[in-house]
Amino acid sequence: MKIFNSKLNLCWLIAAMFLVSCDKDDSDGFLSPALKYTNPSIKVAVGASLIQSGAMVTDESTKPLTFSIAAIRTADGKIADKVMNYKVDTYWWKAEYTTKEKTVEELDAKREKKNRPAIDINPDNGNIVIYPEASDSLQLTKGIYTIDVKVKNSGGERVIEKALTIEVSYAPPYSYRLRGIDGKLTGIDVKFERTAPVGNKILVYTLKKDGTAIDPKELEGYDYSTTPGVPDLKDWHNLGLNNPTKYTEHPDHLELEIAGYPLPFVSGAVLRIDMYNNGSVNGAYFNYWFDMAILKEGVWKVTIQLKYN
């Protein structure tokens, strides 16, 4: 019996020590040595859209954690002072941007203008962002940068050197991405040309495979609306925030007047253009759709070359 009681007392002592140890771990916290980004090296084209690294993988580190940028360095390891001091006027959104907003006032009710570092970090999860407004190539020059990130929690703090490597280039003053083709099309080529440095017009030409222009009346936009009787055409009629302000069909092109740039009004967002024809152009149904944005003021010519057999 004495041996049994001794063993029982020993078990209680071990259990008590375990509880104390757990309490100590909870109090002191744990900061994992395995903190990292899923993609520690990224290539980015700045000046067009919001760029994000994604949150840092925190392993089993005690939460909450706080993240900050400790240093931004050039490829030779020197502190990139100009980049670290570079700030931009951007927007923090308090509600979702739906593209259905009708006025600037409606948009401004959902967002707040702030002056933030061009290369910023979410202090709660370590997500590094580069804002669309970061377009000054004298402050943020092309090249390779490494970012040291400081992480703090109840377990202490650590600077993760070269946590993220960014290769910076500059996006053109427009964005374009083909999203799909259907019917008798093998592809499309889309060309953006800025024909004047000032102005508020977009000229849209759509060409047959032989290069001749298509009357814009021959092309129609798709209705994306889920509400019966409420059209939501994804075509050149619908450029966001009541744009275009004027829509004119000429026999060989569209002429669109807009209120201003960027287009769409929210920097970093894109527009969906979705067009189809019932067969009068090439003898068979076709459909194409793409996302685009125009960021810089001027008169723009957009040429869409259809490809088909």
Side-chain angles (χ1 to χ4, degrees):
M1 180 64 70
K2 287 183 179 181
I3 294 175
F4 175 78
N5 285 337
S6 297
K7 288 184 177 179
L8 183 62
N9 290 337
L10 180 61
C11 288
W12 280 111
L13 179 60
I14 292 173
M17 291 175 65
F18 177 76
L19 290 173
V20 169
S21 174
C22 288
D23 288 343
K24 185 176 187 298
D25 287 344
D26 289 343
S27 174
D28 292 347
F30 170 67
L31 188 58
S32 173
L35 292 162
K36 64 178 182 179
Y37 289 105
T38 302
N39 296 312
S41 181
I42 58 177
K43 293 183 178 182
V44 299
V46 302
S49 59
L50 181 71
I51 295 163
Q52 303 186 72
S53 69
M56 184 173 279
V57 178
T58 59
D59 194 31
E60 297 181 356
S61 298
T62 304
K63 294 181 173 57
L65 298 99
T66 303
F67 300 84
S68 60
I69 292 177
I72 301 176
R73 303 178 188 275
T74 54
D76 58 6
K78 295 179 180 178
I79 296 292
D81 289 317
K82 283 198 300 184
V83 179
M84 293 190 69
N85 294 328
Y86 179 26
K87 293 189 174 184
V88 296
D89 290 325
T90 188
Y91 288 97
W92 283 32
W93 290 83
K94 299 176 286 186
E96 181 186 2
Y97 170 58
T98 67
T99 73
K100 306 292 185 184
E101 293 79 6
K102 300 295 185 183
T103 65
V104 176
E105 289 74 20
E106 195 175 342
L107 277 174
D108 286 343
K110 295 184 172 185
R111 61 187 187 172
E112 180 181 357
K113 181 165 277 190
K114 293 198 174 187
N115 187 255
R116 298 294 304 172
I119 299 181
D120 206 354
I121 190 168
N122 185 323
D124 297 323
N125 63 14
N127 180 34
I128 289 176
V129 302
I130 305 177
Y131 296 109
E133 294 81 5
S135 58
D136 187 343
S137 58
L138 296 178
Q139 301 233 57
L140 178 58
T141 57
K142 290 173 60 176
I144 295 176
Y145 299 90
T146 59
I147 300 179
D148 299 344
V149 175
K150 181 187 287 187
V151 188
K152 297 174 64 176
N153 71 353
S154 58
E157 68 177 57
R158 179 181 301 117
V159 173
I160 305 172
E161 296 182 354
K162 299 181 180 179
L164 186 69
T165 299
I166 301 176
E167 184 174 344
V168 171
S169 62
Y170 270 85
Y174 64 88
S175 68
Y176 164 78
R177 184 172 182 181
L178 177 64
R179 288 300 187 176
I181 56 172
D182 193 14
K184 194 178 179 182
L185 281 182
T186 58
I188 62 172
D189 287 332
V190 182
K191 184 179 180 181
F192 292 78
E193 299 173 87
R194 188 167 174 249
T195 61
V198 294
N200 63 343
K201 286 186 179 179
I202 302 173
L203 309 177
V204 183
Y205 292 80
T206 306
L207 308 180
K208 297 179 182 179
K209 68 177 180 179
D210 63 2
T212 58
I214 298 171
D215 188 329
K217 291 185 176 66
E218 298 290 324
L219 299 170
E220 301 180 55
Y222 264 112
D223 184 356
Y224 277 56
S225 176
T226 57
T227 305
V230 180
D232 180 19
L233 289 177
K234 294 298 182 188
D235 69 353
W236 298 102
H237 284 92
N238 189 348
L239 301 181
L241 209 66
N242 291 332
N243 278 311
T245 57
K246 187 176 180 181
Y247 180 101
T248 305
E249 292 178 334
H250 297 279
D252 64 341
H253 74 281
L254 283 175
E255 182 176 308
L256 310 171
E257 295 184 16
I258 64 166
Y261 296 94
L263 189 74
F265 186 79
V266 176
S267 183
V270 294
L271 300 163
R272 172 66 52 88
I273 304 295
D274 193 337
M275 309 296 294
Y276 74 95
N277 176 266
N278 60 11
S280 62
V281 170
N282 65 346
Y285 161 87
F286 67 79
N287 177 217
Y288 62 83
W289 57 102
F290 59 83
D291 292 340
M292 58 151 278
I294 297 178
L295 310 173
K296 203 167 188 177
E297 181 187 5
V299 176
W300 287 82
K301 180 181 178 182
V302 180
T303 305
I304 304 163
Q305 174 69 64
L306 303 182
K307 296 180 177 180
Y308 52 89
N309 297 322

